[in-house]
């Protein structure tokens, strides 16, 4: 069956881990008769979470696209993982959906995962529906959850339903939009409509009025009509609600028990009736800042939002049609690589089930392609006549890093190749061969993320690897000035070498260049490859050193800066005045000055009170207020310098500077302290002095390695 743009809905299901996203998606597809049986997480037979590793871990790791037909619509649903270790999957989903469904656990209310995902939903400005799930649980608390939502999201919270507490089981939902009371059987599914209990009538009418007002507010004509007549027709109401939800003017709240299949059908109905189709949703953005209209009569542009590699198939590319339409047999051109890609088949999928289709996929729809030659996540494929580049997904920087080795050293090369394949699938990991640390590092989003990669490599590629503590990139610099006069002279056999250099070094942050004592001729500033600067001040008068040797002198100094005398770490932020020297009419050359500068610099450096700097992260922790004390105490034991603390919704955000050396395995640690209720992010921010006792330890252990 072919679906036009207006009949497509794209929703993503997001929420804190364990709130019931995968279970909800399962019932949504089941209710639409898209599957024969309703699977469950415990029986490991859900449509989403179909990979062995997800079944084993019993939580989602990958985003999984599914689809379901509802009345005249095709509803594409993407299930996402709740652990923020897998945030890349959430972001690629947010990019292509038009409505976000945020599941909230009725027992726990807003959780840290809700907060984190909310920030991203806001960034993408996606219309959002809240679904309070697990209403069947004994400690489910509807009132409290609504209050929490109101406290956090304010007046925009628009409850659509309330539970009817009948003999302590959740089997009735009063719906204030439809003004009906739904009664469910034990196994859920299609409800019957029964009388609204008297006690609910007033509350329900108030809720209904609030919904109609919210709908009317988005359109002047509707507003006028509502004021004059006090009501809206069903079509007007739907139109107003679509406008309002699309503009994030309000966030409807539904309730359900995904496990018992109570309420999911009504959510599907709302998505079909009210949620924006791709043509009603805001236009997509192109890389150059312009917009792309979601229109199936324009030339075709499709965007790859996710890529995986299946050992038996090869590359599997998930795409959204941004404009035009696509069908098997088409030929498209990759805007990034300029390669042509033939499309032998177009697929749609429900978890692992892939169905090849003959019809067109129209603008707005989601599909899958296999075995593309040279196409990656974030690429755009265009038909002739178009050269669009869709704005890429901005994946976050990594949050943790580890060094690793292959258990069998001979397999290291193979291991790195496999890691690069996974890196192509998952843009939130990074494999780095760090020549400074002489280690290969794996960067990722969290301990689980890295452990999972290790596990996948073992299971799928039969390769064993182990993690090791990553080394720290210390730096050396100086805290006072020092002079040196160095003469390099070599007379062996044929031609000799001669160069003499007089220099003064000082810390770069010691104020402006000293033009009083030196006759400054030139200032050469070099950004060093490892960060920081070298400032070379050329003060030679009277030609004691020919200016043609400046480069050789600079080279000699930089070479020496690659390994400082204290710990062999790179040196940074030094100003060097070259103020005198001598040449020889025959024996002076570039090499002689390079060596003279290198040794002269070393001599001065050793007399300039050298010191060690260590890298600091700027760390942000988001945690519930009742564990702030524990988080702070732990941070203090890590030599953290707290920069600030403020509340963000129901959570506290702590900002601190923490030495990288103290952050090893922080992800596991914070999970243990907070029982998974706190999240963090960190970026390298600056270098600062290491304390004196640590400096002596570092020098001691470096000297030991030298003497070995
Ligand atoms: N009683 C009850 N249990 C539920 C409900 N929804 C989900 N569960 C259970 O809660 C657990 C977590 O459900 P999932 O659907 O895996 O939750 P999720 O949000 O997909 O979790 P992640 O994939 O880890 O982010 C499973 O054991 C489900 O059976 C519900 O409505 N009622
Ligand atoms: Mg899940």
């Amino acid at each position: 069956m072919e679906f036009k743009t207006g009949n497509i809905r794209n929703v993503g299901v997001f929420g804190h881990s364990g709130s019931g996203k995968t279970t909800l998606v399962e019932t949504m597809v089941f209710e639409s008769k898209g599957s024969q049986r309703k699977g469950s997480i415990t029986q490991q037979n859900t449509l989403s979470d179909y990979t062995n590793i997800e079944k084993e871990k019993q939580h989602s790791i990958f985003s999984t696209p599914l689809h379901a037909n509802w009345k005249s619509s095709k509803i594409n649903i993407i299930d996402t993982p709740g652990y923020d270790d897998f945030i890349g999957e959430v972001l690629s989903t947010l990019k292509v959906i038009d409505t976000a469904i945020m599941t909230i656990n009725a027992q726990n209310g807003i959780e840290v995962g809700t907060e984190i995902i909310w920030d991203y939903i806001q960034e993408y400005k996606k219309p959002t529906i809240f679904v309070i799930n697990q209403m069947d649980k004994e400690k489910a608390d509807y009132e409290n959850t609504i209050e929490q939502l109101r406290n956090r999201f304010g007046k925009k919270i628009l409850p659509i339903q309330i539970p009817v507490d009948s003999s302590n089981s959740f089997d009735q939902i009063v719906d204030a939009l439809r003004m009906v009371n739904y009664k469910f059987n034990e196994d859920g599914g299609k409800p019957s409509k029964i009388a609204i209990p008297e006690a609910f009538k007033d509350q329900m009418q108030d809720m209904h009025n609030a919904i109609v007002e919210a709908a009317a507010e988005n359109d002047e004509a509707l507003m006028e009509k509502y004021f004059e007549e006090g009501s809206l027709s069903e079509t007007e109401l739907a139109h107003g609600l679509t406008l309002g939800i699309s503009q994030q003017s309000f966030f409807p709240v539904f309730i359900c028990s995904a496990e018992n299949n109570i309420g999911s059908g009504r959510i599907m109905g709302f998505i079909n009736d009210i949620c924006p189709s791709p043509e009603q949703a805001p236009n997509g953005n192109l890389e150059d800042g312009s917009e792309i209209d979601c229109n199936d009569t324009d030339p075709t542009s499709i965007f790859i939002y996710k890529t995986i590699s299946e050992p038996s198939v090869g590359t599997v590319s998930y795409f959204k049609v941004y404009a035009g339409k696509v069908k098997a047999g088409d030929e498209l051109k990759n805007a990034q690589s300029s390669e042509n890609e033939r499309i032998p088949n177009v697929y749609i999928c429900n978890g692992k089930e892939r169905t090849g289709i003959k019809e067109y996929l129209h603008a707005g729809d989601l599909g899958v392609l296999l075995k593309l030659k040279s196409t990656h996540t974030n690429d755009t494929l265009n038909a002739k006549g178009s050269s669009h580049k869709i704005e890429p997904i901005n994946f976050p920087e990594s949050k943790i890093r580890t060094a690793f080795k292959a258990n069998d050293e001979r397999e290291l090369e193979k291991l790195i190749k496999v890691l690069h394949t996974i890196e192509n699938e998952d843009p939130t990991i990074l494999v780095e061969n760090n020549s400074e640390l002489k280690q290969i590092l794996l960067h990722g989003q969290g301990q689980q993320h890295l452990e999972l990669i290790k596990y996948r490599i073992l299971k799928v590629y039969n390769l064993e690897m182990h993690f090791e503590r990553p080394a720290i990139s210390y730096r050396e610099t100086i805290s006072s000035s020092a002079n040196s006069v160095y003469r390099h002279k070599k007379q062996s056999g044929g031609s000799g070498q001669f160069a003499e250099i007089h220099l003064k070094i000082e810390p770069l942050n010691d104020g402006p260049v000293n033009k009083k004592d030196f006759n400054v001729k030139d200032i050469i500033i070099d950004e060093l490859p490892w960060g920081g600067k070298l400032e070379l001040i050329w003060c030679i008068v009277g030609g004691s050193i020919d200016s043609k040797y400046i480069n050789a002198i600079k080279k000699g100094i930089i070479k020496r800066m690659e390994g400082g005398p204290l710990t062999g770490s790179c040196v940074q932020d030094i100003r060097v005045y070259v103020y005198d020297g001598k040449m020889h009419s025959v024996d002076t050359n570039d090499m002689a000055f390079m060596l003279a500068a290198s040794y002269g610099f070393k001599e001065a450096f050793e007399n300039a009170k050298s010191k060690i700097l260590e890298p600091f992260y700027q760390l942000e922790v988001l945690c519930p207020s009742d564990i702030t004390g524990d988080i702070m105490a732990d941070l203090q034991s890590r030599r953290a310098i707290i920069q600030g603390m403020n509340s963000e919704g129901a959570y506290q955000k702590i900002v601190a500077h923490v030495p990288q050396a103290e952050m090893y395995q922080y992800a596991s640690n914070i999970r243990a302290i907070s029982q998974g209720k706190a999240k963090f992010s960190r970026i390298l921010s600056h270098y600062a002095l290491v304390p004196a006792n640590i400096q002596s330890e570092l020098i001691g252990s470096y000297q030991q390695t030298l003497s070995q």
Side-chain angles (χ1 to χ4, degrees), residues 476-492:
E476 294 180 23
T477 192
I478 50 173
S479 53
S480 75
S481 63
N483 286 61
S484 79
V485 172
Y486 192 89
R487 175 179 293 184
H488 173 71
K489 195 172 168 190
K490 205 171 127 214
Q491 213 87 54
S492 56

Side-chain angles (χ1 to χ4, degrees), residues 250-270:
F250 54 79
F251 307 118
V253 186
F254 286 81
I255 55 179
C256 83
S257 161
E259 187 81 4
N260 299 342
N261 191 15
I262 291 177
S264 57
R266 178 70 186 100
I267 297 168
M268 291 293 273
F270 187 84

Side-chain angles (χ1 to χ4, degrees), residues 17-18 20-23 41 48-49 54 58-62 79-82:
S17 182
K21 299 176 289 298
T22 303
T23 313
I41 294 289
S48 178
D49 287 12
E54 287 173 304
Q58 300 222 344
H59 62 73
S60 310
I61 289 167
F62 308 103
D79 180 26
T80 67

Side-chain angles (χ1 to χ4, degrees), residues 53 57 61 86 402-407 415 418-419 422 426 429 442 446-468 664-665:
I53 190 157
K57 307 272 177 199
I61 289 167
F86 312 115
T402 184
F404 68 88
K405 283 194 176 141
N407 287 12
L415 174 66
V418 166
L419 278 167
I422 298 182
D426 178 354
I429 72 162
L442 178 62
Q447 207 65 40
Q448 283 209 57
H449 192 201
L450 299 186
E451 290 296 339
L452 178 88
I453 290 163
K454 184 160 121 185
Y455 186 83
R456 269 177 79 190
I457 284 176
L458 175 66
K459 292 281 165 186
V460 182
Y461 301 95
N462 205 16
L463 285 171
E464 284 185 281
M465 68 191 284
H466 61 272
F467 294 153
E468 290 185 348
Y664 184 55
Q665 297 203 323

